[in-house]
Amino acid sequence: MASRPATATDIVDCYRVIFNREPESAEVISHHLAAKPTLSEFLKRVISVPEFAWVGQRAFTSFAWNPGLYGRVDVTGSASDIETLVEHTRKVWADYGDQDPFWSVLTNDKYHASSISQGDINEFYASGAIDCREMEETLRRVGLSLPAKGTALDLGCGLGRIGEHVSKRVKEYVGVDISPPHLRQATERFKHLGHENARFILLPELLKADLKVDLAFSLIVLQHNPPPVIALLIDRLCKLLKEEGILYFQVPVALTNYEFNLKEYAASPPAHGLMEMHCIPQREVYRLFEANDCQVIEALPDARIGHIGLSYSFIAQKRKR
């Protein structure tokens, strides 16, 4: 397997797992691919660089998962419970949008509002091309593609980091977020860029909208919502799909030492501060697909949360009636 050609996805995953960061730019990925290395050759190159000596060994030795180390995870609740959870999430992310919008999307210290430079901002938006390219490559591998003549919906679009690259490849782009401050900045950014095929809506509107899309995607977003909200959002994304519409999203399916008791959480939600991390059991994801007549195309383990648990990227498609 290691003798196959390295792909852009391989390179991104190596950076995330080994160096705990994103590649510097799309150009860096292209540079690595220019020599057409096999995966084995690329890994040999990675372990030869000085950065690996500092963080690589620690990443490899700490990447361990014990499936017995997590407990009860509540994924359903009453309408009142869900409303309470959504409102808590809205307040937290609206605060992030006002106080630290770039860091809230990519939690790298250089993106804190107190120190971010224009160069950092440019790099922040350029990094969205990496995720867009990875999504394109992953879909292509299973015989699918971005809907060039259709509508793509970006759940948890934040500041439009990935969306500004996706919007160039589709007829219509819809960015959705729970945070008004994030959406205001995204709207201004797209207006500045002249992307006239885009519109932005708040999550409560999406939950009620009569909308059908060709592609719905979400990356490094669902994990910051309590499990019942994750389930609600996956269910809603499934329902938004047109026939043969594509769903592509990433979510942790297990976290070490994690449990979620809805009653206890709703009674005393975490204070604003550290970024919340949640998961949804994989069986619940499949249950939601089945309930919404969606066929699983692939479930791919990814490296987006490092060694703290298991994250998967799911590809599903609405069945043709």
Side-chain angles (χ1 to χ4, degrees), residues 219-231:
L219 301 171
I220 57 172
V221 171
L222 294 172
Q223 61 203 40
H224 300 308
N225 296 272
V229 178
I230 296 176

Side-chain angles (χ1 to χ4, degrees), residues 93-127 157-161 164 179 181-182 184-186 188-189 220 224 275:
W93 283 89
D95 284 347
Y96 281 135
D98 282 328
Q99 300 168 14
D100 225 349
F102 292 92
W103 178 87
S104 70
V105 176
L106 291 180
T107 53
N108 185 311
D109 287 345
K110 67 182 176 182
Y111 294 136
H112 276 304
S114 60
S115 58
I116 192 169
S117 68
Q118 185 58 51
D120 293 329
I121 292 174
N122 294 341
E123 179 185 291
F124 171 90
Y125 283 110
S127 73
C157 66
L159 302 176
R161 183 183 68 94
E164 70 174 55
S179 164
H182 283 86
R184 283 196 294 271
Q185 289 198 48
E188 292 173 5
R189 170 81 178 179
I220 57 172
H224 300 308
M275 190 77 68

Side-chain angles (χ1 to χ4, degrees), residues 16 22 89 93 104-107 155-156 218-227 229-231 233-234 249-255 258 260 265 274-280 302-306 308-313:
R16 288 171 177 163
E22 299 294 314
T89 305
W93 283 89
S104 70
V105 176
L106 291 180
T107 53
L155 177 67
S218 183
L219 301 171
I220 57 172
V221 171
L222 294 172
Q223 61 203 40
H224 300 308
N225 296 272
V229 178
I230 296 176
L233 295 176
I234 294 174
F249 66 88
Q250 167 269 332
V251 69
V253 297
L255 298 171
Y258 178 84
F260 183 84
Y265 183 96
L274 293 176
M275 190 77 68
E276 290 184 41
M277 283 291 292
H278 297 282
C279 68
I280 182 171
D302 60 55
R304 290 184 180 274
I305 64 171
I308 65 171
L310 293 176
S311 174
Y312 272 72
S313 293

Side-chain angles (χ1 to χ4, degrees), residues 2-16:
S3 63
R4 67 171 173 79
T7 66
T9 299
D10 293 328
I11 292 168
V12 171
D13 284 346
C14 282
Y15 269 75
R16 288 171 177 163

Side-chain angles (χ1 to χ4, degrees), residues 5 33-34 50 133 135 147 171 187 220-221 238 250 275 299 304 307:
L33 293 175
R133 179 173 178 175
M135 176 165 61
K171 182 178 180 180
T187 301
I220 57 172
V221 171
C238 289
Q250 167 269 332
M275 190 77 68
R304 290 184 180 274
H307 64 275

